[in-house]
Amino acid sequence: MGCGLGKSEPLLKTFHKESISVPAISAALLIQRWYRQHVARLEMRRRCTWNIFQSIEYAGEQDQIKLYNYFGFLMDHFTPASSERNLISHIFRKNEICLDTEWERYFCYKSIEVTKSYTGPHLTFPMTFCGVSKLVEAFKHKEQLHARYVLQLLGETWRLLRTFPNISHVIACHPKPITICGDLHGHLEDLLLIFYKNGLPSSDKPYVFNGDFVDRGKNSLEILLTLFGFLLVYPNDVHLNRGNHEDHIVNLRYGFTKEVLGKYRVHGKKILKLLQMIFSWLPLATVIDNKVLIVHGGISDTTDLDKIARVDRQKYASALRPPKMKVHGCMTKMNENREREACGQVEGRRRVCSLTYHSSAPDHRHDLPRRSLNNTPVCSKLDLSVDEKLNSRCRLSGFDQARCELKKSDSYLESKTTETDLDEWKQIVDVLWSDPMPQNGCIPNEVRGGGCYWGPDVTEEVLRRNNLQLLIRSHECKQDGYEFCHNRRVITIFSASNYYEVGSNRGAFIRMGPDLVPHFIQYQASTTCRELTLRQSVGWTERSALQALREQLFVHRSDLISAFQEFDPNNKGMISVTHWASTTERVLNLGLPWRVLRPQLVSSTQHGMMDYQQWIKELSITEPKLEISDNSILDTMYKNHSNLETIFRIIDTDHSGLISFKEFHQTWELLRSHLKTEISAKAIADLAQSIDFNKDGSIDINEFLEAFRLVDISAPN
């Protein structure tokens, strides 16, 4: 049966002497071969599943940056009196409260009464180990901390962080090894499990938490309050680095803003404002024994620790906002690139320049471990003047053209940023957003849209220049919770288990003693996934990934059908599987192995051909039935669900969760201008009327988004 017995003759003779039969050995070899093939197939399925989750995640990050770049374009070029500019201007403002001597009165907690009906924990200040331990116990039992204590704790944290340097220096002593944790992303159960396995932070148990405490998970605020509590008690033994999600703009999209406002409806706005200040004061790096560098994202070929140590970090409430510059009456290269991005220089879901990298780089991006965007089409409008671009955008969005005129003198008077500021900003973005790659060099991180990809040569040079021996970073989910790269000089540590789905990945943390040798502790917070076999775990996460992918296919169905029809000139409704795979990738730009995924996505084919119309119907996604004059607005709604939520929450300046019909219309005006598409005013009005469920003339943001949540009817309950 081709089991390769010939090569095993000496082994067989040995076993024959001990009276073990040849058929038994043959059966054992067959079982071994089958098992290896089985494990290999599971591993291939696991990697495909991982690629789906990661591609969709990074596509969302690019959408966020593209939208923010467009808002920056509006801020730079719309007149200050423009109502459209005023809609978004507050997210770009420097935090005036930080400069106001009366900020204590604004954030004052003393007027907030703790009623007798409150059953949660009571805090006393200065914080003690006993107090923060009770806080942890309360969060473990899903109790909520009173708003008075939240504001008081955050205020004390803000005061303390202002005294910290940009780079924290830690000494690893023999009796107390240092524990290093990666991304937690609102997974409180993972933090509690770390404390259970490793012990609570103390003077004998120092910790470094490497950013991305918030977003995606449901308990981001509880994680922050816990970490801040321990920081207040042990300021020399608890170290917090800033991550790319400690950013109020990113929080608008990924859930933290919604979480805070949901838990604290009355005082949520003040809490968010105070957190915005705190995020800007978080240190950017930690160094252990002058040998181990810990940053959230990574480095680049221009990373300079001396510059990072001197940065005025609190200026960058959002690392996404590039500084403006004034250069001899001309717009800087940075602003020109943001204009080109805003005016549609690039198209497609994942085609966007990195925040800090706009110059051309050597084209070896195709060697990256994940798909990069190396086929970016150039817009035919690049030769237009700024004024022509603005006029075109104004006509498209329906804005008053007079309000869109570029006021050069005003714009330049506002521009006070120097080359030093620009360099500082790039240093921060690279530290927060970058990822390693296996190839040498340093190129734009076009998959995420921020920071860079850096190679082993850059790692060696930065470590050599600073007399370091190891770089520890987070920022990327890893299936085992950690990963070595660059000749074991770089470690990625990720502490949020079950990040994409239950069973998708383990979490891990590092324990490091004075020998600076990392020891990894892995875990899985969910008891459910610990009880699953490998096959069950892979199947569980695979179903979830395919469900997310089917949603992506469904919301792009119009674009897919139009693209498929290019290969169906006779309108027979049939195309080849090859054309299906290449066209699907061209429309979605997710960099996935579509031919490998085809059996899970396409139910039937005949002689290498498939019925694409029937395939669209079989995606098994339900949508709400609304009476709207223009169904194209629904397609736009589904494809830009997250962008709409971001704009809604920006326009909802009072954080009430409600927006008026006028604000709803302005939201769609901004979105259609950003997308360069036509949406009729009547379609917008019809949509507003159809979702005003109680007919009070306002729209509940959460109800609106829930009403348009797609449901996979093929998914198990």
Side-chain angles (χ1 to χ4, degrees):
M1 295 178 64
C3 59
L5 292 178
K7 295 182 180 180
S8 304
E9 286 180 3
L11 179 66
L12 292 178
K13 289 178 181 178
T14 301
F15 280 113
H16 184 67
K17 292 178 181 179
E18 298 180 8
S19 302
I20 298 179
S21 64
V22 173
I25 299 299
S26 301
L29 291 174
L30 284 173
I31 292 172
Q32 182 185 60
R33 175 175 295 182
W34 171 86
Y35 179 75
R36 287 175 176 173
Q37 291 175 346
H38 172 71
V39 172
R41 284 193 296 268
L42 286 178
E43 180 61 23
M44 185 179 71
R45 288 172 58 191
R46 192 171 79 143
R47 291 186 181 184
C48 282
T49 298
W50 193 259
N51 286 340
I52 292 171
F53 280 131
Q54 199 167 63
S55 295
I56 293 175
E57 177 188 6
Y58 290 171
E61 290 184 349
Q62 282 215 357
D63 281 348
Q64 165 83 5
I65 290 175
K66 287 168 69 176
L67 181 64
Y68 193 73
N69 283 345
Y70 173 60
F71 288 161
F73 176 76
L74 296 184
M75 287 298 299
D76 290 340
H77 301 306
F78 276 45
T79 61
S82 166
S83 61
E84 292 77 21
R85 188 180 191 271
N86 288 336
L87 286 172
I88 59 172
S89 61
H90 63 279
I91 67 171
F92 291 97
R93 278 189 215 117
K94 185 173 171 56
N95 200 332
E96 300 94 342
I97 299 298
C98 294
L99 306 177
D100 192 342
T101 56
E102 297 184 350
W103 76 270
E104 292 266 8
R105 187 170 64 185
Y106 180 82
F107 292 117
C108 183
Y109 59 86
K110 295 179 181 178
S111 61
I112 303 175
E113 180 186 0
V114 180
T115 62
K116 293 181 179 180
S117 61
Y118 172 68
T119 58
H122 292 264
L123 301 185
T124 58
F125 294 84
M127 287 286 288
T128 63
F129 178 79
C130 181
V132 72
S133 298
K134 290 180 179 178
L135 185 64
V136 171
E137 195 65 25
F139 288 156
K140 187 185 300 184
H141 293 91
K142 303 187 184 305
E143 297 178 17
Q144 183 168 307
L145 186 63
H146 196 280
R148 175 191 173 102
Y149 299 130
V150 172
L151 287 170
Q152 190 173 4
L153 192 154
L154 294 180
E156 293 296 324
T157 302
W158 180 80
R159 289 190 190 90
L160 178 62
L161 286 174
R162 294 181 69 192
T163 68
F164 287 178
N166 293 345
I167 301 177
S168 304
H169 286 268
V170 186
I171 298 176
C173 301
H174 188 70
K176 50 178 188 178
I178 296 172
T179 302
I180 304 157
C181 301
D183 299 33
L184 288 166
H185 278 302
H187 289 212
L188 180 63
E189 63 275 16
D190 286 304
L191 180 62
L192 296 176
L193 186 56
I194 291 171
F195 288 162
Y196 174 78
K197 286 178 171 289
N198 195 62
L200 294 173
S202 68
S203 56
D204 294 324
K205 190 83 65 175
Y207 275 81
V208 177
F209 294 94
N210 199 24
D212 276 13
F213 318 117
V214 302
D215 282 332
R216 304 189 188 278
K218 297 180 180 179
N219 299 109
S220 298
L221 186 58
E222 286 79 1
I223 286 178
L224 284 179
L225 295 174
T226 299
L227 298 183
F228 292 161
F230 281 113
L231 179 68
L232 292 173
V233 179
Y234 302 107
N236 297 318
D237 301 292
V238 174
H239 307 275
L240 308 180
N241 287 346
R242 184 177 183 178
N244 65 307
H245 278 262
E246 277 68 65
D247 186 312
H248 69 283
I249 300 299
V250 178
N251 300 153
L252 287 168
R253 185 186 187 99
Y254 291 104
F256 183 52
T257 300
K258 179 180 178 181
E259 176 191 330
V260 173
L261 295 175
K263 292 176 178 177
Y264 296 92
R265 292 186 176 275
V266 177
H267 302 285
K269 183 177 180 180
K270 286 186 178 181
I271 292 172
L272 287 171
K273 194 70 174 177
L274 190 48
L275 283 168
Q276 179 180 333
M277 295 164 54
I278 288 173
F279 288 166
S280 68
W281 279 104
L282 286 170
L284 300 171
T286 300
V287 176
I288 301 176
D289 284 354
N290 296 317
K291 292 296 181 182
V292 179
L293 173 65
I294 306 173
V295 295
H296 177 71
I299 56 177
S300 73
D301 54 357
T302 61
T303 294
D304 186 329
L305 295 186
D306 290 333
K307 288 182 179 179
I308 292 174
R310 295 192 303 267
V311 166
D312 185 7
R313 67 183 187 270
Q314 61 88 23
K315 291 194 305 184
Y316 301 93
S318 174
L320 297 181
R321 174 63 170 165
K324 293 185 291 184
M325 293 178 60
K326 178 173 61 176
V327 184
H328 304 299
C330 297
M331 302 182 69
T332 64
K333 188 70 175 175
M334 182 68 64
N335 283 335
E336 288 173 1
N337 279 285
R338 190 162 69 251
E339 288 161 27
R340 292 187 345 216
E341 172 64 26
C343 291
Q345 175 191 1
V346 290
E347 300 174 358
R349 171 178 291 274
R350 307 183 68 216
R351 300 171 188 261
V352 59
C353 291
S354 175
L355 281 170
T356 52
Y357 291 80
H358 299 281
S359 59
S360 59
D363 190 14
H364 49 271
R365 286 172 286 177
H366 56 279
D367 296 324
L368 289 174
R370 295 178 299 276
R371 178 176 173 81
S372 288
L373 312 173
N374 52 346
N375 296 314
T376 304
V378 179
C379 177
S380 61
K381 297 181 180 180
L382 284 182
D383 56 343
L384 296 178
S385 69
V386 173
D387 297 285
E388 288 172 321
K389 295 173 188 174
L390 279 167
N391 292 340
S392 173
R393 300 295 291 202
C394 292
R395 288 193 299 271
L396 184 61
S397 59
F399 295 153
D400 182 355
Q401 186 166 316
R403 288 180 292 176
C404 299
E405 293 177 356
L406 181 63
K407 296 289 186 77
K408 295 183 179 179
S409 58
D410 292 344
S411 182
Y412 293 162
L413 285 175
E414 293 175 359
S415 301
K416 298 179 181 179
T417 307
T418 65
E419 288 281 359
T420 301
D421 293 319
L422 182 61
D423 185 46
E424 287 182 355
W425 174 70
K426 182 182 180 302
Q427 295 284 335
I428 291 176
V429 172
D430 287 343
V431 162
L432 298 183
W433 282 87
S434 297
D435 293 306
M437 66 178 181
Q439 298 79 22
N440 285 336
C442 187
I443 61 174
N445 191 333
E446 295 181 344
V447 173
R448 286 189 190 269
C452 71
Y453 279 118
W454 87 92
D457 58 331
V458 175
T459 294
E460 291 294 333
E461 173 58 24
V462 172
L463 294 182
R464 182 198 62 76
R465 191 191 316 142
N466 294 280
N467 196 27
L468 299 166
Q469 64 185 43
L470 183 66
L471 169 64
I472 298 177
R473 44 91 61 176
S474 302
H475 195 43
E476 287 184 286
C477 182
K478 298 299 179 182
Q479 289 182 329
D480 293 320
Y482 73 95
E483 183 178 89
F484 280 99
C485 66
H486 294 184
N487 302 314
R488 300 179 73 85
R489 303 295 299 277
V490 175
I491 298 174
T492 298
I493 187 73
F494 197 87
S495 299
S497 65
N498 309 305
Y499 178 62
Y500 293 121
E501 180 56 75
V502 173
S504 64
N505 67 284
R506 294 180 181 179
F509 59 88
I510 297 172
R511 200 179 284 144
M512 181 175 285
D515 58 0
L516 302 183
V517 175
H519 300 275
F520 301 94
I521 294 86
Q522 298 169 290
Y523 54 85
Q524 201 114 32
S526 172
T527 56
T528 302
C529 58
R530 290 200 294 267
E531 296 170 355
L532 297 176
T533 64
L534 176 61
R535 182 177 181 179
Q536 290 171 329
S537 176
V538 171
W540 184 301
T541 54
E542 184 181 55
R543 284 192 296 272
S544 179
L546 290 173
Q547 176 181 338
L549 186 57
R550 277 193 291 268
E551 289 182 7
Q552 291 292 315
L553 292 166
F554 181 79
V555 300
H556 288 84
R557 62 191 184 281
S558 298
D559 296 334
L560 285 168
I561 291 174
S562 298
F564 290 151
Q565 288 173 344
E566 296 176 12
F567 301 101
D568 182 24
N570 298 321
N571 293 321
K572 294 183 178 180
M574 303 290 290
I575 59 171
S576 68
V577 171
T578 300
H579 287 152
W580 170 82
S582 61
T583 302
T584 302
E585 172 57 28
R586 177 159 54 90
V587 172
L588 268 67
N589 288 295
L590 291 175
L592 294 174
W594 294 102
R595 292 182 69 89
V596 175
L597 293 170
R598 194 266 307 165
Q600 285 90 354
L601 297 173
V602 181
S603 60
S604 63
T605 60
Q606 294 181 352
H607 309 294
M609 303 292 289
M610 60 169 285
D611 186 333
Y612 61 86
Q613 295 280 5
Q614 182 62 30
W615 173 68
I616 293 290
K617 295 178 181 177
E618 291 175 354
L619 287 175
S620 304
I621 303 292
T622 62
E623 55 182 325
K625 304 299 182 183
L626 299 173
E627 296 181 3
I628 299 175
S629 58
D630 184 2
N631 285 329
S632 65
I633 196 173
L634 295 180
D635 290 340
T636 304
M637 165 70 217
Y638 293 132
K639 282 190 286 189
N640 298 277
H641 189 274
S642 295
N643 280 343
L644 267 175
E645 180 174 4
T646 301
I647 299 174
F648 279 151
R649 299 202 183 280
I650 290 173
I651 290 179
D652 179 27
T653 54
D654 62 354
H655 299 299
S656 65
L658 300 173
I659 57 175
S660 66
F661 278 11
K662 180 181 178 181
E663 290 171 328
F664 182 79
H665 190 272
Q666 289 169 329
T667 297
W668 279 94
E669 295 249 336
L670 284 172
L671 183 64
R672 72 176 184 176
S673 177
H674 168 57
L675 299 175
K676 306 180 297 298
T677 188
E678 289 289 349
I679 302 173
S680 69
K682 185 178 187 307
I684 296 174
D686 287 349
L687 181 60
Q689 291 287 346
S690 66
I691 59 178
D692 179 18
F693 301 114
N694 59 2
K695 305 304 178 185
D696 63 351
S698 62
I699 297 169
D700 185 294
I701 298 174
N702 294 326
E703 286 185 3
F704 170 74
L705 295 171
E706 182 63 22
F708 284 86
R709 183 172 60 88
L710 295 173
V711 178
D712 186 346
I713 60 177
S714 67
N717 294 327

